[in-house]
């Protein structure tokens, strides 16, 4: 009896693996498997390589956990392509310099203080690594709703009500001209505020403490919402905002 009847040939196996990879890369999911956790094709776990001391953090949830506000296709490309490129560019820029031994926040602050082209380029990439790490944590599959406890009290104190805060946050994030970020921040003295930053800019270099952020670069929402940034931001607040993370960032 030929054992090729019992076992697929190597060629056949390659074909099957290739087809599975194509389906994964296209972000396709059948209705039966739509909610099953799975890893996308570009996560650091899959390629198993590090380009230097700055690492691409693993997503804290499966690629499809944030659907339908953020699709698996968007999340997979955003993390595995855009975020990974910022990590690789940062590692390439600090290779062989003192920066290799420094924590990411320090690299970001020092690059922000420099005025030459090299510093500007390093800032744009290192700050985007920090921003994306913070953005993934700012979302949760069971997010949205209202914060609780001290954070809710602080929001009501500084914005009047949670609804007024949500309106102001949405308006600020949506109104950011071109690429950037919307933030809930804590200022010196403890007051909460919302702010928008352009491109890679972030509260850290403006003496403010970040509590929560939404990415409003088009790559964050265009596949799912096209040009409707306001819809993405509103649904993001209603369904994804990770208030446990924001509360943990609140200074006592
Ligand atoms: Mn982004």
């Amino acid at each position: 009896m030929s054992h090729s009847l019992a076992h697929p040939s190597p060629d056949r196996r390659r074909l099957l693996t290739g087809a599975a990879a194509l389906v994964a890369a296209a972000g396709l999911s059948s209705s039966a498997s739509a909610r099953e956790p799975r890893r996308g094709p570009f996560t650091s776990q899959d390629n198993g390589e590090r380009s230097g001391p700055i690492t691409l953090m693993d997503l804290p949830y499966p690629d499809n956990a944030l659907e339908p506000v953020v699709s698996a296709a968007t999340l997979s490309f955003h993390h595995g392509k855009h975020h990974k490129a910022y990590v690789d560019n940062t590692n390439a820029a600090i290779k062989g310099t003192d920066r290799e031994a420094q924590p990411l926040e320090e690299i970001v602050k020092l690059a922000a203080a420099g005025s030459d082209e090299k510093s500007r380029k390093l800032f744009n990439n290192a700050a985007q690594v920090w921003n994306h790490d913070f953005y993934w944590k700012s979302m949760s599959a069971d997010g949205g709703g209202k914060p609780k406890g001290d954070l809710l009290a602080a929001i009501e104190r500084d914005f009047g009500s949670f609804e007024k805060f949500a309106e102001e946050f949405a308006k600020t994030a949506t109104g950011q001209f071109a690429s950037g970020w919307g933030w809930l921040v804590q200022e010196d003295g403890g007051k909460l505020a919302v702010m928008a930053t352009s491109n890679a800019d972030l509260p850290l270099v403006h003496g403010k403490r970040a509590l929560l952020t939404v990415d409003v670069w088009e790559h964050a929402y265009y596949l799912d919402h096209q040009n409707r940034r306001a819809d993405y931001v509103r649904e993001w607040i209603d369904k994804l905002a990770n208030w446990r993370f924001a509360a943990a960032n609140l200074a006592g």
Side-chain angles (χ1 to χ4, degrees):
M1 178 178 171
S2 160
H3 81 215
S4 68
L5 288 174
H7 303 285
S9 70
D11 279 354
R12 171 87 179 132
R13 266 205 301 271
R14 244 198 317 277
L15 272 174
L16 290 171
T17 312
L22 271 178
V23 169
L28 302 176
S29 52
S30 71
S31 55
S33 65
R35 305 310 302 177
E36 279 172 24
R38 63 183 168 71
R39 288 258 157 213
F42 310 117
T43 62
S44 54
Q45 284 187 341
D46 290 325
N47 60 36
E49 55 187 54
R50 287 169 61 145
S51 57
I54 304 300
T55 55
L56 177 65
M57 74 169 255
D58 286 328
L59 290 172
Y61 29 68
D63 282 353
N64 59 348
L66 308 180
E67 291 185 335
V69 184
V70 177
S71 67
T74 292
L75 200 54
S76 169
F77 275 86
H78 196 174
H79 175 256
K81 295 292 185 186
H82 294 279
H83 187 179
K84 183 176 186 299
Y86 296 127
V87 170
D88 291 346
N89 290 340
T90 302
N91 280 324
I94 64 176
K95 197 173 165 61
T97 73
D98 295 347
R99 300 277 177 274
E100 276 189 307
Q102 289 164 341
L104 181 60
E105 285 202 3
E106 201 56 28
I107 295 172
V108 169
K109 283 190 209 161
L110 289 165
S115 54
D116 56 310
E117 178 65 15
K118 256 189 176 169
S119 297
R120 197 189 57 78
K121 229 174 128 179
L122 176 56
F123 176 79
N124 283 341
N125 284 286
Q128 282 292 76
V129 175
W130 194 98
N131 291 340
H132 283 89
D133 286 354
F134 202 81
Y135 172 59
W136 308 134
K137 295 175 196 163
S138 291
M139 298 184 283
S140 166
D142 63 351
K146 264 170 110 163
K148 297 184 173 78
D150 290 349
L151 179 58
L152 180 60
I155 285 175
E156 288 174 341
R157 178 194 67 208
D158 297 331
F159 296 94
S161 68
F162 175 75
E163 289 67 31
K164 278 188 191 153
F165 151 77
E167 201 176 302
E168 198 175 324
F169 182 87
K171 201 173 119 191
T172 302
T174 303
Q176 162 59 30
F177 181 72
S179 297
W181 301 82
W183 304 86
L184 170 63
V185 298
Q186 191 171 21
E187 296 174 339
D188 266 357
K191 191 177 189 293
L192 302 193
V194 295
M195 69 186 286
T197 59
S198 177
N199 298 322
D201 197 16
L202 70 173
L204 180 68
V205 298
H206 299 283
K208 297 178 205 298
R209 184 185 186 89
L211 302 188
L212 198 74
T213 194
V214 59
D215 188 341
V216 293
W217 283 58
E218 280 190 348
H219 66 223
Y221 62 87
Y222 207 85
L223 280 178
D224 305 325
H225 306 271
Q226 292 74 51
N227 61 327
R228 302 184 305 277
R229 185 192 280 183
D231 292 353
Y232 155 69
V233 171
R234 195 64 237 192
E235 288 176 33
W236 191 94
I237 298 167
D238 290 344
K239 295 175 183 152
L240 299 184
N242 185 350
W243 294 118
R244 283 189 307 273
F245 177 64
N249 290 321
L250 195 67

